[in-house]
Amino acid sequence: MTKLHNHESKAVKLNEKKISLVIPVYNEEDNLPELFRRLLPVMESLERSYEIILINDGSKDSSLPLMLREQKSHPQTVRVIDFNGNFGQHTAILAGFKSAKGQSIITLDADLQNPPEEIPKLISLLDEGHDVVGTVRKKRKDSFFRRYASKIVNKIMNKVTGFSIHDYGCMLRGYSREIIDIINECGEVSTFIPALAQKFAVNPIEIEVSHSARTAGESKYNLFRLIRLQFDLMTAFSMFPLQMITILGGIIFAVGVVLACLGIFGHALSFLLAGIVTTCTGITGEYTGRIYQEVRKRPRYVIRKIYEEGNNV
Ligand code: UDP
Ligand code: MG
């Protein structure tokens, strides 16, 4: 069923290969004018046909009018998908993928932390035949806490998922049409796009890209949302934690038997065990909750309207 190789698209000449940019936007009014100012010259310099797909993920500020103004001035290249509410960065990107018509697809953030000037680098690697261009932020300009936490999370996630991705969080990435077709066939609700793409990649590559500090607006991820995102990543790509729980249960039971035989009981031990049991129940709950989400089969997102050429009234 899956269209793993689309030979037709391979036959397309390089300069005819269309590029799709997918950009999720949530309350970025202070960044959008500068983003458009820097993005267009980069895209024009490539001398290729391209489209810019902006997904408004329920912004409450004036992001939507700013995007619509841009769409009106460039009706041939800019499309705006207006969500009915806030469904999350990865879900917004998935909606962009469904709508993308290009042979090379690039995702990037709207806050200019991913410099648009890096896009040609990604495009030329896709042209060379890589189906996923992963990225690592060089000299990442985020808080010490975010950088340090990411280091630990990247290590844990690679162990747990079996992938070798060095910066899960950098969303300036490139994908081939083949990969996007496969992702478009995945119906999962909670997911993590770089990992999903890596799962299907045949010839991936990872490169360094520069990174800038957020100069306007604020990060949309507080500690709670960051933790939730990591659980999305873990539960979507690994059964390892569930298997660990079973093994841990066996070990604890064996220790209990030994201690009971020796006649040693202590308060510390009960706290320790209670902690382990609660954590394990929590992890199981994370999976169960997501199974419940999947079986409900609610739409992943709701589009209020799509603004594109001939559909702007
Ligand atoms: N974003 C989104 N929906 C969300 C959260 C974020 O569309 O619910 C967008 C946001 O506007 C930005 C990108 O995703 O374009 C990355 O978000 P942010 O800069 O807050 O993440 P950080 O750089 O702090 O990881
Ligand atoms: Mg950011």
Side-chain angles (χ1 to χ4, degrees):
M1 263 210 351
T2 47
K3 280 177 274 165
L4 274 174
H5 291 286
N6 183 348
H7 294 289
E8 258 174 73
S9 68
K10 288 232 165 70
V12 178
K13 275 199 216 111
L14 216 57
N15 60 359
E16 287 168 12
K17 273 183 151 191
K18 189 180 184 128
I19 301 165
S20 301
L21 293 188
V22 174
I23 311 177
V25 179
Y26 181 43
N27 295 340
E28 301 286 2
E29 62 180 4
D30 295 327
N31 289 309
L32 288 176
E34 178 71 2
L35 174 74
F36 299 142
R37 198 188 63 72
R38 280 172 58 186
L39 201 53
L40 293 183
V42 172
M43 295 317 290
E44 289 299 327
S45 74
L46 288 166
E47 297 181 340
R48 293 254 282 265
S49 82
Y50 68 91
E51 58 179 7
I52 302 176
I53 303 166
L54 302 163
I55 305 94
N56 179 37
D57 188 16
S59 299
K60 293 178 193 76
D61 63 0
S62 63
S63 293
L64 181 65
L66 284 170
M67 286 187 261
L68 293 184
R69 205 174 66 195
E70 193 64 14
Q71 198 279 327
K72 276 230 164 77
S73 4
H74 306 276
Q76 312 273 351
T77 46
V78 179
R79 187 175 322 134
V80 178
I81 300 176
D82 184 24
F83 273 4
N84 201 345
N86 180 243
F87 293 88
Q89 180 185 4
H90 289 255
T91 308
I93 293 175
L94 287 177
F97 284 170
K98 283 254 170 176
S99 163
K101 297 187 180 72
Q103 273 83 37
S104 303
I105 294 90
I106 303 281
T107 56
L108 78 154
D109 291 349
D111 61 354
L112 288 164
Q113 289 202 266
N114 302 137
E117 293 74 19
E118 296 279 39
I119 293 172
K121 222 159 72 184
L122 276 71
I123 294 291
S124 64
L125 287 163
L126 289 170
D127 287 345
E128 281 172 24
H130 294 287
D131 51 0
V132 169
V133 182
T135 47
V136 179
R137 288 167 284 193
K138 193 167 52 185
K139 298 201 191 106
R140 183 171 165 194
K141 305 283 190 322
D142 277 321
S143 67
F144 175 76
F145 165 74
R146 285 286 298 266
R147 279 182 289 137
Y148 199 71
S150 288
K151 253 197 190 134
I152 299 171
V153 165
N154 285 328
K155 281 222 169 82
I156 296 175
M157 287 306 161
N158 279 339
K159 275 255 159 9
V160 164
T161 59
F163 295 137
S164 176
I165 296 177
H166 292 94
D167 190 357
Y168 281 86
C170 182
M171 293 304 278
L172 169 62
R173 297 178 112 90
Y175 308 100
S176 71
R177 167 50 50 195
E178 285 81 2
I179 294 291
I180 296 301
D181 283 345
I182 302 170
I183 291 182
N184 283 343
E185 284 186 36
C186 300
E188 58 214 67
V189 177
S190 1
T191 198
F192 199 93
I193 288 160
L196 195 58
Q198 193 72 15
K199 193 164 179 57
F200 302 119
V202 180
N203 185 19
I205 189 170
E206 202 173 62
I207 56 162
E208 282 196 332
V209 288
S210 54
H211 189 244
S212 311
R214 210 183 225 282
T215 52
E218 49 190 40
S219 171
K220 309 301 178 295
Y221 288 97
N222 55 28
L223 185 61
F224 179 70
R225 278 194 95 175
L226 278 175
I227 292 173
R228 208 173 59 187
L229 190 69
Q230 301 321 315
F231 271 111
D232 277 342
L233 171 57
M234 185 181 81
T235 56
F237 295 96
S238 173
M239 291 292 162
F240 182 70
L242 285 179
Q243 289 154 356
M244 279 303 293
I245 291 173
T246 320
I247 293 168
L248 206 65
I251 296 172
I252 293 169
F253 185 77
V255 172
V257 171
V258 172
L259 288 179
C261 291
L262 297 173
I264 306 167
F265 307 99
H267 290 298
L269 192 67
S270 22
F271 270 96
L272 225 65
L273 287 184
I276 293 170
V277 170
T278 318
T279 312
C280 293
T281 317
I283 294 178
T284 320
E286 292 291 340
Y287 280 91
T288 317
R290 280 164 180 79
I291 294 168
Y292 184 43
Q293 245 179 12
E294 300 291 342
V295 297
R296 276 198 304 240
K297 290 234 169 298
R298 283 186 194 157
R300 274 201 294 222
Y301 48 81
V302 183
I303 295 174
R304 187 180 287 139
K305 187 171 170 176
I306 297 177
Y307 299 83
E308 60 189 342
E309 210 182 357
N311 188 29
N312 294 347
V313 271

